[in-house]
mmCIF file of all heavy atoms in Angstrom:
data_model
loop_
_atom_site.group_PDB
_atom_site.id
_atom_site.type_symbol
_atom_site.label_atom_id
_atom_site.label_comp_id
_atom_site.label_asym_id
_atom_site.label_seq_id
_atom_site.Cartn_x
_atom_site.Cartn_y
_atom_site.Cartn_z
ATOM 1 N N GLY A 738 272.209 2.480 9.756
ATOM 2 C CA GLY A 738 270.765 2.563 9.847
ATOM 3 C C GLY A 738 270.185 3.951 9.682
ATOM 4 O O GLY A 738 268.990 4.102 9.463
ATOM 5 N N VAL A 789 271.771 -7.308 5.594
ATOM 6 C CA VAL A 789 272.213 -8.668 5.847
ATOM 7 C C VAL A 789 271.797 -9.039 7.261
ATOM 8 O O VAL A 789 271.816 -8.204 8.163
ATOM 9 C CB VAL A 789 273.741 -8.801 5.664
ATOM 10 C CG1 VAL A 789 274.501 -7.877 6.613
ATOM 11 C CG2 VAL A 789 274.201 -10.236 5.841
ATOM 12 N N GLU A 875 289.875 -8.536 22.259
ATOM 13 C CA GLU A 875 291.254 -8.641 21.759
ATOM 14 C C GLU A 875 291.734 -7.320 21.187
ATOM 15 O O GLU A 875 292.859 -6.883 21.455
ATOM 16 C CB GLU A 875 291.339 -9.731 20.693
ATOM 17 C CG GLU A 875 292.734 -9.875 20.089
ATOM 18 C CD GLU A 875 292.791 -10.937 19.010
ATOM 19 O OE1 GLU A 875 291.753 -11.578 18.739
ATOM 20 O OE2 GLU A 875 293.882 -11.113 18.420
ATOM 21 N N GLY A 884 281.954 -3.641 27.479
ATOM 22 C CA GLY A 884 280.704 -4.103 28.068
ATOM 23 C C GLY A 884 279.701 -4.520 27.019
ATOM 24 O O GLY A 884 279.948 -4.421 25.809
ATOM 25 N N SER A 920 268.753 -2.540 28.990
ATOM 26 C CA SER A 920 267.638 -1.793 28.428
ATOM 27 C C SER A 920 266.530 -2.806 28.144
ATOM 28 O O SER A 920 266.442 -3.831 28.808
ATOM 29 C CB SER A 920 268.080 -1.037 27.167
ATOM 30 O OG SER A 920 267.027 -0.282 26.616
ATOM 31 N N ILE A 1034 278.368 28.344 20.052
ATOM 32 C CA ILE A 1034 278.857 29.197 21.129
ATOM 33 C C ILE A 1034 280.338 28.922 21.335
ATOM 34 O O ILE A 1034 280.839 27.842 21.028
ATOM 35 C CB ILE A 1034 278.076 28.970 22.434
ATOM 36 C CG1 ILE A 1034 278.136 27.510 22.866
ATOM 37 C CG2 ILE A 1034 276.634 29.398 22.282
ATOM 38 C CD1 ILE A 1034 277.396 27.214 24.155
ATOM 39 N N VAL A 1045 288.842 19.262 39.923
ATOM 40 C CA VAL A 1045 289.327 20.092 41.013
ATOM 41 C C VAL A 1045 289.062 19.380 42.330
ATOM 42 O O VAL A 1045 288.222 18.504 42.421
ATOM 43 C CB VAL A 1045 288.614 21.467 40.977
ATOM 44 C CG1 VAL A 1045 288.975 22.221 39.729
ATOM 45 C CG2 VAL A 1045 287.118 21.304 41.088
ATOM 46 N N ALA A 1049 285.723 15.720 44.584
ATOM 47 C CA ALA A 1049 285.656 14.480 45.362
ATOM 48 C C ALA A 1049 284.428 14.453 46.257
ATOM 49 O O ALA A 1049 283.915 13.399 46.589
ATOM 50 C CB ALA A 1049 286.926 14.344 46.211
ATOM 51 N N GLY A 1162 244.445 35.843 37.424
ATOM 52 C CA GLY A 1162 243.143 36.479 37.535
ATOM 53 C C GLY A 1162 243.165 37.951 37.175
ATOM 54 O O GLY A 1162 242.341 38.728 37.671
ATOM 55 N N LEU A 1188 236.567 26.966 15.272
ATOM 56 C CA LEU A 1188 235.331 26.231 15.053
ATOM 57 C C LEU A 1188 234.936 26.359 13.585
ATOM 58 O O LEU A 1188 234.706 27.472 13.103
ATOM 59 C CB LEU A 1188 234.211 26.775 15.942
ATOM 60 C CG LEU A 1188 234.367 26.548 17.450
ATOM 61 C CD1 LEU A 1188 233.205 27.180 18.197
ATOM 62 C CD2 LEU A 1188 234.475 25.064 17.772
ATOM 63 N N ALA A 1207 239.537 22.981 29.879
ATOM 64 C CA ALA A 1207 239.659 24.088 30.823
ATOM 65 C C ALA A 1207 238.462 24.174 31.758
ATOM 66 O O ALA A 1207 238.600 24.560 32.929
ATOM 67 C CB ALA A 1207 239.823 25.400 30.060
ATOM 68 N N ARG A 1223 246.751 15.532 16.751
ATOM 69 C CA ARG A 1223 247.308 15.049 18.019
ATOM 70 C C ARG A 1223 246.407 15.387 19.199
ATOM 71 O O ARG A 1223 246.171 14.541 20.072
ATOM 72 C CB ARG A 1223 248.697 15.649 18.239
ATOM 73 C CG ARG A 1223 249.322 15.206 19.558
ATOM 74 C CD ARG A 1223 250.749 15.648 19.697
ATOM 75 N NE ARG A 1223 251.326 15.118 20.921
ATOM 76 C CZ ARG A 1223 252.616 15.140 21.197
ATOM 77 N NH1 ARG A 1223 253.461 15.642 20.329
ATOM 78 N NH2 ARG A 1223 253.080 14.647 22.321
ATOM 79 N N ALA A 1280 226.843 19.020 9.234
ATOM 80 C CA ALA A 1280 225.801 19.708 9.991
ATOM 81 C C ALA A 1280 225.704 19.089 11.372
ATOM 82 O O ALA A 1280 226.014 17.906 11.571
ATOM 83 C CB ALA A 1280 224.456 19.617 9.273
ATOM 84 N N LEU A 1287 225.548 15.123 10.754
ATOM 85 C CA LEU A 1287 225.589 14.715 9.358
ATOM 86 C C LEU A 1287 227.058 14.557 8.988
ATOM 87 O O LEU A 1287 227.812 15.534 8.957
ATOM 88 C CB LEU A 1287 224.913 15.751 8.461
ATOM 89 C CG LEU A 1287 224.862 15.401 6.965
ATOM 90 C CD1 LEU A 1287 224.087 14.104 6.728
ATOM 91 C CD2 LEU A 1287 224.252 16.554 6.161
ATOM 92 N N LEU A 1316 247.273 46.313 22.763
ATOM 93 C CA LEU A 1316 248.413 47.230 22.924
ATOM 94 C C LEU A 1316 248.710 48.076 21.700
ATOM 95 O O LEU A 1316 249.834 48.507 21.503
ATOM 96 C CB LEU A 1316 249.689 46.434 23.287
ATOM 97 C CG LEU A 1316 249.530 45.394 24.388
ATOM 98 C CD1 LEU A 1316 250.788 44.591 24.519
ATOM 99 C CD2 LEU A 1316 249.183 46.056 25.694
#
Side-chain angles (χ1 to χ4, degrees):
V789 60
E875 178 181 359
S920 181
I1034 57 179
V1045 295
L1188 292 178
R1223 179 173 184 168
L1287 182 60
L1316 313 173

